[in-house]
Amino acid sequence: MSAGNATLFEAFALHLVTRPPHTRNAYLRDVARLLEMAGDTSVAGLARPQLMRFIATLHGRGLSGRSLARTLSAWRAFYRFLIERDRSVKDDPCAGIKAPNSPPRLPSAPPPDTPTRPDTLARPATPAPPAPSPPDR
């Protein structure tokens, strides 16, 4: 990590002081990962294709779509901070990047007191027979 990136990271950490602890820790971890992937390149100079490659790399390492969505959220917050701090940075290179879709979650298990055997389930009420039609006159 370059000295300039390390300075930005420390300033971003101070900027996040008011965020909830779990959010702050996750964002700092995700931005640290960005800086690690950037190496000696200034994060202010990264372009959208490079960030898309970083996301693809993280996806290839097994991160889920939900984790990548949070990572992108952290990177967007970092670039918003960077744009406010450094007026030479004009655009957010994360804009328009979407995380890969995650598979749907499995349904949750029913509570233990819910009957699950077919013979213990309540039977649906049988429909009432139709009313007799009035006699013809």
Side-chain angles (χ1 to χ4, degrees), residues 95-107:
I97 299 177
K98 295 185 180 188
N101 291 335
S102 291
R105 289 185 174 188
L106 294 174

Side-chain angles (χ1 to χ4, degrees), residues 9-72:
F9 182 76
E10 291 170 10
F12 184 62
L14 289 174
H15 174 73
L16 293 178
V17 155
T18 59
R19 298 276 179 114
H22 289 294
T23 302
R24 182 177 190 268
N25 292 336
Y27 275 28
L28 291 176
R29 183 175 52 247
D30 292 336
V31 170
R33 190 177 294 140
L34 169 66
L35 300 179
E36 173 189 322
M37 294 177 92
D40 291 334
T41 305
S42 170
V43 288
L46 293 176
R48 186 171 186 251
Q50 292 167 306
L51 294 180
M52 290 176 69
R53 190 171 344 116
F54 293 166
I55 290 294
T57 300
L58 294 174
H59 186 58
R61 290 181 187 171
L63 261 68
S64 72
R66 287 180 186 89
S67 294
L68 292 171
R70 190 208 58 233
T71 297
L72 279 169

